[in-house]
Amino acid sequence: MVEDVEIKTTVSPFAIREGEIKTFDGKDGYVSISQIIHKINLGHISEIHFQILDLINEFEFMTSRQIYQVLKHKGIDIKSQDKLNTKLEQMIKTKILTRYYFTSEEGKGIYRVYCMEKMGKYLLTSKEAECKWQPTDNTKPVQLIKKRLSANQALIAYLRKSKNFDSYTVKPAITGKIMGKTIKGHGVIKLTKSGKSLNLLFESVRREDDWKNKFLDRMRVLKDFLDNFIPFECGFETKPQLIFICEDDKHMVETFKEIVTKNLEIENMKLYFTTDLRQNSETLEKSLVEFVKDDSGKYKANNVEFKLLG
């Protein structure tokens, strides 16, 4: 597998492209549960397939690269990316998982997105594992899937690269106390050093249609939650640090501008920004950006060195 630092692209694969659509790349037709049971009895579906299924259940949408990186981090011997792809293909054919790719005016996407299929849910429930997946989940639009993939990349980067990594939460529930509105956050990383912990709350922002208004709707809930934070609320012992994952450097500026012009800064909290491609760095210590005023009163982007992230 190509290492993160060897990736040379200048455009995030999770950036929104004009006219982009989601294309089905799974299996049509019928597969019975008895066929699945027969394959399990023959050993054609083994523990590694169930470990892959558990990851998809947790993350909802993943690329094969993301699956491979998490399996490797967990110490699961998957041999190679090609070996994983073979197992994923088996799971597609048996309708345990299904798959999509994105196409746009620029052509076909370079990666496939894997998600749950009905046989996968049957297998999980047979193990008494919680699975909230519904068939309608797979109808989610491109922008929601790319937000998930972007956030996945950040979570996986921290669990693989930060020596202070403690744990992650994929979809935390965030409730604005005054508004009484709950949203699903895009991910939380808990870092711990010398007995002290810090939670990083990630918000993935994409340039989807009407993206500014959609972002502001979520930002109001995040501001409500953080401004009125009480310890242990929404599962956080202490107030989490908010980090925005943007498509590129220009998008960071655009996102920050929306926050400032709409008076949505968080009280007593610095706002940090990053991009998809910054997660590919060998270390995450310098992956964050902060906007500060210079002597003329204008904002400028400053790279922040954050030792705890390394």
Side-chain angles (χ1 to χ4, degrees):
M1 184 184 74
V2 176
E3 294 298 323
D4 287 354
V5 292
E6 298 172 330
I7 296 173
K8 302 301 182 184
T9 183
T10 57
V11 179
S12 167
F14 309 131
I16 299 296
R17 288 160 171 76
E18 190 172 351
E20 197 166 32
I21 60 171
K22 181 179 69 174
T23 302
F24 178 71
D25 191 37
K27 175 180 170 60
D28 289 318
Y30 176 74
V31 176
S32 70
I33 193 67
S34 60
Q35 289 174 283
I36 303 292
I37 293 169
H38 181 62
K39 287 182 178 293
I40 293 173
N41 291 337
L42 291 175
H44 296 165
I45 295 175
S46 59
E47 182 59 27
I48 185 64
H49 295 89
F50 280 97
Q51 290 167 327
I52 294 168
L53 186 56
D54 286 338
L55 280 185
I56 297 295
N57 186 35
E58 183 178 22
F59 284 88
E60 188 176 11
F61 296 99
M62 298 183 83
T63 66
S64 62
R65 179 182 178 84
Q66 291 175 348
I67 297 168
Y68 182 78
Q69 288 178 327
V70 179
L71 290 175
K72 289 285 285 184
H73 175 77
K74 289 177 177 284
I76 297 167
D77 186 13
I78 196 67
K79 303 297 184 186
S80 68
Q81 182 76 63
D82 287 342
K83 293 286 187 183
L84 171 62
N85 291 343
T86 298
K87 294 185 185 303
L88 289 170
E89 192 65 38
Q90 292 170 342
M91 297 174 81
I92 296 293
K93 288 179 179 177
T94 49
K95 303 197 78 168
I96 294 171
L97 299 179
T98 193
R99 181 173 57 194
Y100 295 89
Y101 62 85
F102 302 127
T103 53
S104 69
E105 295 170 0
E106 299 172 20
K108 193 173 179 179
I110 60 172
Y111 59 90
R112 301 290 187 274
V113 181
Y114 294 85
C115 52
M116 191 73 69
E117 183 56 284
K118 62 181 180 180
M119 288 300 171
K121 181 166 185 172
Y122 291 157
L123 290 178
L124 286 170
T125 53
S126 74
K127 292 172 55 184
E128 298 185 353
E130 183 180 19
C131 180
K132 296 181 180 178
W133 176 84
Q134 300 293 333
T136 51
D137 292 347
N138 291 357
T139 66
K140 288 183 178 179
V142 171
Q143 64 270 21
L144 292 185
I145 297 174
K146 286 202 165 184
K147 286 178 184 178
R148 179 69 268 147
L149 296 176
S150 165
N152 287 354
Q153 184 186 33
L155 298 182
I156 293 167
Y158 278 86
L159 73 87
R160 293 177 63 232
K161 300 174 185 179
S162 175
K163 61 180 179 290
N164 298 312
F165 170 79
D166 185 316
S167 61
Y168 66 82
T169 305
V170 178
K171 293 185 284 186
I174 304 297
T175 301
K177 182 174 293 185
I178 306 301
M179 298 172 68
K181 183 176 181 180
T182 300
I183 61 174
K184 285 289 187 183
H186 293 140
V188 173
I189 285 289
K190 182 179 180 181
L191 303 175
T192 300
K193 184 176 183 180
S194 303
K196 295 184 178 180
S197 296
L198 172 67
N199 286 297
L200 307 178
L201 174 59
F202 291 95
E203 175 68 13
S204 180
V205 188
R206 303 292 97 177
R207 286 192 185 99
E208 57 190 300
D209 289 342
D210 196 29
W211 77 266
K212 293 178 181 178
N213 285 326
K214 292 175 182 176
F215 165 65
L216 293 172
D217 284 344
R218 288 181 59 88
M219 188 62 203
R220 291 184 183 99
V221 178
L222 291 167
K223 176 176 171 59
D224 186 1
F225 165 66
L226 293 167
D227 282 351
N228 301 290
F229 179 80
I230 296 174
F232 298 101
E233 199 164 37
C234 295
F236 295 98
E237 185 175 345
T238 57
K239 183 187 291 189
Q241 172 62 54
L242 185 58
I243 298 175
F244 301 96
I245 311 171
C246 301
E247 293 188 3
D248 50 48
D249 287 358
K250 183 182 177 186
H251 192 214
M252 288 195 297
V253 176
E254 296 165 353
T255 303
F256 176 71
K257 182 179 178 181
E258 287 303 308
I259 294 169
V260 172
T261 56
K262 301 302 188 299
N263 298 313
L264 289 173
E265 299 101 319
I266 310 298
E267 293 178 14
N268 303 314
M269 179 181 285
K270 292 182 178 181
L271 296 181
Y272 293 121
F273 297 77
T274 189
T275 64
D276 297 336
L277 295 183
R278 284 172 180 260
Q279 311 314 306
N280 292 337
S281 302
E282 193 168 347
T283 174
L284 299 169
E285 288 181 4
K286 299 180 181 180
S287 63
L288 301 184
V289 168
E290 177 188 4
F291 290 91
V292 296
K293 282 186 178 179
D294 59 20
D295 294 337
S296 67
K298 293 183 178 179
Y299 284 102
K300 66 174 184 178
N302 276 359
N303 288 312
V304 180
E305 187 166 0
F306 208 157
K307 293 289 187 183
L308 182 64
L309 308 188

